[in-house]
Amino acid sequence: MARDNLSIHLAERPKGDIIPGTTFSQKRTPIPSPADLKDGEILVETLYLSLDPAMRTYLNPGGSYMAPVPIGGIMRGMTVCRVLASKSKRAAAGDFVSGNTGWTEHAVLGEKDFEPTSRFPGLRDPQDMLSVLGPTGVTAWYGMTQIGDPKPGELVVVSGAAGATGSVAGQIAKIRGATVVGIAGSDDKCRWLVEDLGFDVALNYKAADFKNKFKEATKKRIDVYFDNVGGQILDMCLARAKEHARFVECGVISQYNTRDQAGLRNIANVVSLRIHMQGFIIFDQLKHFPQARADLSKWIAEGKLKKNETIIQGGLGKAEQGLVDLYKGINTGKLLVEIKNPNATAPKL
Amino acid sequence: MARDNLSIHLAERPKGDIIPGTTFSQKRTPIPSPADLKDGEILVETLYLSLDPAMRTYLNPGGSYMAPVPIGGIMRGMTVCRVLASKSKRAAAGDFVSGNTGWTEHAVLGEKDFEPTSRFPGLRDPQDMLSVLGPTGVTAWYGMTQIGDPKPGELVVVSGAAGATGSVAGQIAKIRGATVVGIAGSDDKCRWLVEDLGFDVALNYKAADFKNKFKEATKKRIDVYFDNVGGQILDMCLARAKEHARFVECGVISQYNTRDQAGLRNIANVVSLRIHMQGFIIFDQLKHFPQARADLSKWIAEGKLKKNETIIQGGLGKAEQGLVDLYKGINTGKLLVEIKNPNATAPKL
């Protein structure tokens, strides 16, 4: 029976939340033929798709740090893939590679558009390339070591702490000897942060007594705030900052789906407390990837860093709902869609 | 006729604006006697008092980067003084010195509490120590050269541009070869910025068409924003920033007299545009003073940097109203109170 290729395209720019069945549309086209590969190209089947908070910003007409996905264009996304056929010296059929294929089951990638996973000896599963050794893990490494730079005994607060980046960022702060307070969206996540990952304190921001608990947990005042959420919690951290605090501005997940940005009221503290606030995007920092991955692999091998993934089963068709659920905080650790199980047999083409 | 010493004390912490006749009280006490000086001390008469936007924050119960002025305590402030009597090797009677005397006509200063002006060959008038070579001038130098660091052709926006710090900061950006847009509170100030100081554009933020003019003037997007005001204009600059913009967070004069801080709505741009935002207080940066003053003196001597002072006549009694008027934008350049004209004869004690 002839198989075809499923890909998912942007149909309509959402004004607020993504609307399943409306924002994206599905297309079925023939799987590219190995016979059509040009020199240097590879044909891959995608195994895992990374779902990331920044994706919502790709849908806006003005884009963000990346150009907007055009209407009708394939949705942008990073995957781990298995090579089905290769005209490249960098990968052979059967190898795992990662690349920006977008939301598709199969893709043809040019010589420079993929990264062989064999380069990373610390890798345990192919999907590590999308999580702890992928952009989110490297983001945590960069933000915490290059901007936050906590010293032993300093107080570090991480928001979005149970997410792919936050969970790694908090653990790096612990490795640095800091006291770490995580903020997450459920009691289960908070338990996981403290019991499994070793955070000193974890607070559920949805709890009624959150503000008091936060005040108590930051009595010493905040030296480093690793911000994944923006909005109200950023404002609270500005109010509880210590002099010369570092604010690692990594993401604003609380704000991506709304046009009514919460107003920050404590920004004057940036002056009086001499706060250093630095926004960053990991794709500016490609030169740091090798060092970051070396450190992260080492910490995993030493048992100092635990990885976690929430994997949505059921194939690429589940990606749209998965992205909606990401903003609801469905995931603990990295959120992935399993497009195809890597243990399943590769298709014959 | 026996003269006595006038000093001005904090009587009541203002909740909003300073209330003349209520916030401060006057005291008259005998002038300290030269006979009572200890080794290393000097007796001075104050000539000029510096009025600074940060002063409002000294009056708050929580203070700011400095401890609050206690109720009943002499109001904090920096002055240029003439030495009347000396038991210090660092200054002789008749010398000019600067020091943190507070709001008083006479003071006794310890060995380390003053700075002889004779160390600064670039000095033209003693009051330069309070303006272009004083903390406000050094603040402009530090913020612009060490944080903003504009490159030739970059777009620099300075708010509070006609003030003591802003007017120097904008001129330094011009010296660096940047295009400079100043924002000030009157058409007269704007004319002065363009015609006398060489700013490329100056915009009156009180004008009805300010928002459109600002948009037009920042079409190229902002590389460096030197922020003296906070609030709405900071928010507008976040919206018009270029990628990797530097935000020099020097002051928030729009917010000092209010408890209802304006909410910032564009802070998410810190992430997407990778903005570097750095708050600073010049008193953390004492090691930079010599280099800053060397550069500032040189630029003045070369005619590249123009200084300007607004001097309130009439003695120390005018300081309170002067401080109120500072927040209304009375001054162009540095605002000083002339406590005593330096050309008048020193009193016999």
Side-chain angles (χ1 to χ4, degrees), chain B residues 166-310:
Chain B
S167 60
V168 176
Q171 291 181 84
I172 295 173
K174 284 304 302 174
I175 291 169
R176 287 288 194 101
T179 301
V180 180
V181 176
I183 300 174
S186 78
D187 290 342
D188 278 351
K189 287 179 179 180
C190 289
R191 249 190 308 280
W192 176 67
L193 290 172
V194 172
E195 291 173 11
D196 287 15
L197 300 192
F199 281 51
D200 296 280
V201 177
L203 303 175
N204 178 354
Y205 72 87
K206 294 174 182 165
D209 60 350
F210 170 61
K211 282 193 181 174
N212 285 334
K213 286 249 171 96
F214 176 78
K215 232 172 150 177
E216 201 184 303
T218 57
K219 232 184 311 193
K220 277 173 58 189
R221 300 264 158 184
I222 302 166
D223 294 287
V224 175
Y225 174 47
F226 195 107
D227 185 11
N228 288 304
V229 305
Q232 276 257 302
I233 292 175
L234 170 55
D235 219 12
M236 290 171 66
C237 287
L238 282 167
R240 299 295 283 175
K242 196 188 277 183
E243 295 187 345
H244 307 288
R246 288 83 74 194
F247 274 52
V248 184
E249 289 303 313
C250 177
V252 288
I253 196 171
S254 72
Q255 308 294 305
Y256 290 139
N257 287 284
T258 172
R259 288 183 168 191
D260 290 322
Q261 306 282 311
L264 283 195
R265 303 197 166 274
N266 297 310
I267 196 79
N269 285 1
V270 171
V271 178
S272 59
L273 300 174
R274 296 83 114 188
I275 293 172
H276 173 205
M277 195 180 261
Q278 176 71 60
F280 74 107
I281 298 292
I282 201 59
F283 302 108
D284 292 336
Q285 309 296 342
L286 296 179
K287 67 171 181 179
H288 287 284
F289 272 65
Q291 183 60 49
R293 283 166 162 169
D295 283 352
L296 294 162
S297 302
K298 184 174 146 274
W299 291 328
I300 290 175
E302 293 171 352
K304 291 178 181 165
L305 179 64
K306 289 183 183 159
K307 68 183 196 109
N308 202 61
E309 287 135 13
T310 299

Side-chain angles (χ1 to χ4, degrees), chain A residues 64-65 234 244 249-252 261-265 267-268 270-272 274-281 284, chain B residues 64-65 234 244 249-252 261-265 267-268 270-272 274-281 284:
Chain A
S64 167
Y65 57 92
L234 170 56
H244 306 289
E249 289 302 313
C250 178
V252 289
Q261 307 280 313
L264 283 194
R265 303 198 165 274
I267 196 81
V270 171
V271 178
S272 59
R274 295 82 114 192
I275 292 172
H276 172 205
M277 195 180 262
Q278 177 70 61
F280 74 107
I281 299 292
D284 292 338
Chain B
S64 170
Y65 57 92
L234 170 55
H244 307 288
E249 289 303 313
C250 177
V252 288
Q261 306 282 311
L264 283 195
R265 303 197 166 274
I267 196 79
V270 171
V271 178
S272 59
R274 296 83 114 188
I275 293 172
H276 173 205
M277 195 180 261
Q278 176 71 60
F280 74 107
I281 298 292
D284 292 336

Side-chain angles (χ1 to χ4, degrees), chain A residues 177-200:
Chain A
T179 301
V180 180
V181 176
I183 301 174
S186 78
D187 290 343
D188 278 350
K189 287 178 179 181
C190 288
R191 249 191 307 280
W192 175 67
L193 290 172
V194 172
E195 292 174 11
D196 288 14
L197 301 193
F199 281 51
D200 296 281

